[in-house]
Amino acid sequence: MKTRLGLAIAVWAAVSVVAFLAIPDVIVSAGLVIFGAVLLLVLAMAQDWDAHASFEEREMLRARRRKARWERTAGSRARDRERWEAHQARRAARATDEQR
């Protein structure tokens, strides 16, 4: 992979030199050089195109992180649940007191 990129850079450099020497218009030569540089950038970025994790692997990792976070915050949820139940009990007691 690296040799292919190195070869592409060498070809681009040679074509760039030839473009500036053979084409009398500097703007056209510069356009060709820039176009070649963009193609080199695309080639460099596409080298590891298939090296990423699959969708299933990413989702499995996210599920593990969610489970760890869920287990880590279990105490906080239990305290919130207790407060909510106490609040509901107070509301129910207040409602029965108001109905009398």
Side-chain angles (χ1 to χ4, degrees), residues 63-82:
R64 276 192 232 118
R65 286 195 310 249
R66 281 192 302 267
K67 184 176 181 181
R69 190 178 324 121
W70 180 264
E71 292 169 355
R72 190 175 60 240
T73 60
S76 175
R77 283 193 317 279
R79 284 191 308 272
D80 287 344
R81 189 178 315 106
E82 288 173 9

Side-chain angles (χ1 to χ4, degrees), residues 12-88:
W12 171 75
V15 169
S16 298
V17 169
V18 169
F20 275 109
L21 293 177
I23 300 174
D25 191 5
V26 176
I27 295 174
V28 174
S29 300
L32 289 174
V33 169
I34 292 170
F35 183 73
V38 169
L39 286 179
L40 276 177
L41 180 66
V42 169
L43 179 67
M45 291 174 65
Q47 280 189 344
D48 62 347
W49 185 262
D50 293 332
H52 61 277
S54 68
F55 174 77
E56 290 80 13
E57 291 168 341
R58 290 191 310 267
E59 284 300 311
M60 187 64 71
L61 181 63
R62 286 185 193 117
R64 276 192 232 118
R65 286 195 310 249
R66 281 192 302 267
K67 184 176 181 181
R69 190 178 324 121
W70 180 264
E71 292 169 355
R72 190 175 60 240
T73 60
S76 175
R77 283 193 317 279
R79 284 191 308 272
D80 287 344
R81 189 178 315 106
E82 288 173 9
R83 279 186 272 182
W84 175 253
E85 290 169 356
H87 171 69
Q88 291 299 324

